[in-house]
Amino acid sequence: MDSAPIASTPGLDLAAIRAEFPILAQQIHGRPLVYLDSANTTQKPQAVIDAESAYYATINANIHRSTHLLSERATQAYEGARRRVQRLIHARESREVVFTRGCTEAINLVAQSWGRANLRPGDEVVLTWMEHHSNIVPWQLVCEQTGARVRAVRITDRGELDLDDFRDALAGPSVKFVSLIHVSNALGTVNPVEELVRLAHERGVPILVDGAQAVPHLAVDVQALDCDFYAFSAHKLYGPTGIGALYGKAALLEQMPPWQGGGDMIASVTFERTTYNEVPYKFEAGTPNIAGVVGFGAAVEWLQRFDMAALARHERSLVEALTARLDAMDGIRIIGRAPHKAGVVSFVVEGVHPHDVGTILDSEGVAVRTGQHCAQPVMDRYGVPATVRASFGIYNTTDEVEALVAALGRVRELFG
């Protein structure tokens, strides 16, 4: 497969795209690397690697604080990345973008800042059964602190959100907040977020959308969605680890108290009283991951070279190709068959634990994720301990789908 020509999707030159990712040129256990774990973390193009390296080599200084030239350059690079993120998700203002350590920290920020200020005993926070743990545990923590409680909306056998149950969950007067995933990391389901936001707002309930699995695959417009908060990570959209962003409507961010205290989030400090900086800086305490933000901005700039509709079509074609091939194999059960899916296919092999499947696939050079995918309620819903998950990025090809299928044949040989 490494010597065959790579077929391209209209709008995407896959051979040229793959050449921008140095890690894809290596071999694993003597075989060409087939990387099918992008829902876990994406690989990084050379442009992102170079941007971080260049920051440390030529700019490295703290931001917002010093008057020397390096600090001014670092500040410009940092704020320039914020504006790139703003444009990526179509936020109204750059101050509506708060840099965090990732999607997890962004959700924790809202839970601890908005949640502790607004939730009271008996209130409800509505989640869904398809949430990642990072959109469950922060709300459990704040509910323990405030006396509120979590309510989870069911999902169907196909892996879609039960809209009737969602409407029922919103019907009571105790619902004060909704937090849900845009694209399921375990199932690939694309939720009808615009409709869900509308239903929540009809009840006067604010809503946060976990967009970690959506932004790399779909065109996201937070103004069109009208969501109150939107959280995502850089490392799932071809950027660095340890950095992400929270979008929040400016009026809400201004009302919320700081979550962490320290340098740069203050206006003035005395032992009697502290006043806080304006948004978004009120929520960015301490020296941030400046190099990570620079890499984040480079990843956004790199991704925006491509037609997101073409990218979505490409990944959809890979999902359809793999689904068809797995359906033709005996003893394989696909978990999650929603008609609207992003680049994720989860499955189990009859009689073989997913971890054993993953180990054999790795010996064939195929990298997938096995386990609960930080989504244990999803596994409980389908009565499985874990799944094998193949997840696609912009650089994957139909040849790699065939490599996975061939490696699964090896699993069948070894386990009969």
Side-chain angles (χ1 to χ4, degrees):
M1 61 168 282
D2 54 329
S3 59
I6 298 172
S8 288
T9 298
L12 297 175
D13 184 342
L14 296 184
I17 290 169
R18 289 177 63 84
E20 296 190 56
F21 291 82
I23 199 169
L24 298 181
Q26 69 176 293
Q27 294 198 334
I28 299 294
H29 304 303
R31 299 176 182 273
L33 169 62
V34 175
Y35 187 78
L36 301 176
D37 196 19
S38 290
N40 199 359
T41 195
T42 52
Q43 297 303 337
K44 320 307 174 194
Q46 191 66 50
V48 171
I49 298 168
D50 289 346
E52 280 210 73
S53 177
Y55 166 78
Y56 280 124
T58 65
I59 299 177
N60 184 42
N62 216 323
I63 58 170
H64 299 154
R65 298 171 186 175
S66 301
T67 56
H68 59 75
L69 183 58
L70 288 183
S71 179
E72 291 178 4
R73 288 174 175 169
T75 299
Q76 290 170 2
Y78 186 88
E79 295 301 334
R82 195 191 306 275
R83 289 188 292 273
R84 289 193 184 100
V85 173
Q86 173 204 350
R87 290 192 293 269
L88 174 69
I89 61 172
H90 298 92
R92 183 175 285 104
E93 306 173 69
S94 64
R95 70 190 185 114
E96 294 180 317
V97 175
V98 178
F99 286 125
T100 64
R101 289 186 302 155
C103 188
T104 297
E105 185 172 83
I107 296 170
N108 274 273
L109 190 163
V110 177
Q112 288 298 312
S113 179
W114 189 96
R116 290 179 67 180
N118 291 279
L119 295 175
R120 301 291 181 267
D123 288 345
E124 288 186 334
V125 176
V126 173
L127 311 177
T128 81
W129 270 71
M130 67 176 69
E131 300 310 315
H132 189 281
H133 294 165
S134 63
N135 200 28
I136 299 174
V137 179
W139 297 107
Q140 290 175 330
L141 291 172
V142 76
C143 284
E144 290 172 1
Q145 296 162 355
T146 61
R149 60 178 179 267
V150 165
R151 175 168 178 171
V153 174
R154 294 189 297 265
I155 54 178
T156 68
D157 290 342
R158 292 203 305 179
E160 296 175 285
L161 191 65
D162 186 330
L163 288 178
D164 289 335
D165 195 41
F166 184 75
R167 292 185 183 94
D168 289 344
L170 290 175
S174 57
V175 176
K176 294 298 186 291
F177 199 86
V178 174
S179 191
L180 51 78
I181 204 162
H182 194 161
V183 174
S184 167
N185 72 304
L187 303 171
T189 304
V190 180
N191 278 320
V193 170
E194 192 166 356
E195 180 180 3
L196 301 175
V197 171
R198 179 182 59 79
L199 291 171
H201 285 175
E202 284 178 356
R203 311 292 300 192
V205 177
I207 183 168
L208 179 148
V209 179
D210 171 355
Q213 299 292 341
V215 176
H217 308 287
L218 309 171
V220 172
D221 185 331
V222 293
Q223 292 188 70
L225 293 176
D226 196 30
C227 56
D228 300 284
F229 301 98
Y230 198 96
F232 59 105
S233 293
H235 76 101
K236 296 186 191 297
L237 58 86
Y238 311 102
T241 57
I243 191 68
L246 171 69
Y247 158 79
K249 290 181 177 177
L252 284 171
L253 293 176
E254 287 172 347
Q255 295 168 11
M256 290 160 51
W259 175 37
Q260 296 176 323
D264 216 33
M265 53 75 65
I266 55 88
S268 67
V269 175
T270 68
F271 285 109
E272 290 73 34
R273 183 171 182 269
T274 294
T275 57
Y276 303 118
N277 205 343
E278 60 188 11
V279 297
Y281 311 112
K282 178 173 67 171
F283 299 107
E284 295 179 359
T287 297
N289 180 3
I290 305 170
V293 168
V294 170
F296 192 177
V300 169
E301 187 174 33
W302 181 86
L303 185 61
Q304 289 189 308
R305 290 166 40 196
F306 305 103
D307 178 354
M308 292 302 291
L311 173 57
R313 287 194 301 271
H314 169 59
E315 292 180 353
R316 178 67 185 176
S317 71
L318 297 176
V319 168
E320 291 173 349
L322 180 56
T323 299
R325 298 290 273 121
L326 295 181
D327 281 341
M329 301 177 73
D330 293 333
I332 291 184
R333 173 191 172 197
I334 294 176
I335 306 297
R337 290 183 176 270
H340 301 293
K341 290 181 66 170
V344 170
V345 179
S346 289
F347 60 93
V348 293
V349 179
E350 182 180 349
V352 189
H353 195 282
H355 294 328
D356 293 327
V357 176
T359 299
I360 296 168
L361 295 183
D362 178 66
S363 72
E364 299 291 314
V366 179
V368 297
R369 183 170 178 188
T370 63
Q372 296 179 338
H373 318 298
C374 296
Q376 186 174 340
V378 174
M379 305 300 122
D380 294 342
R381 169 64 177 80
Y382 292 99
V384 295
T387 69
V388 181
R389 183 186 70 188
S391 54
F392 300 112
I394 192 172
Y395 34 61
N396 290 123
T397 68
T398 53
D399 284 345
E400 292 180 314
V401 170
E402 293 304 317
L404 169 59
V405 171
L408 286 170
R410 180 64 175 156
V411 174
R412 300 297 295 276
E413 290 174 12
L414 290 175
F415 284 89

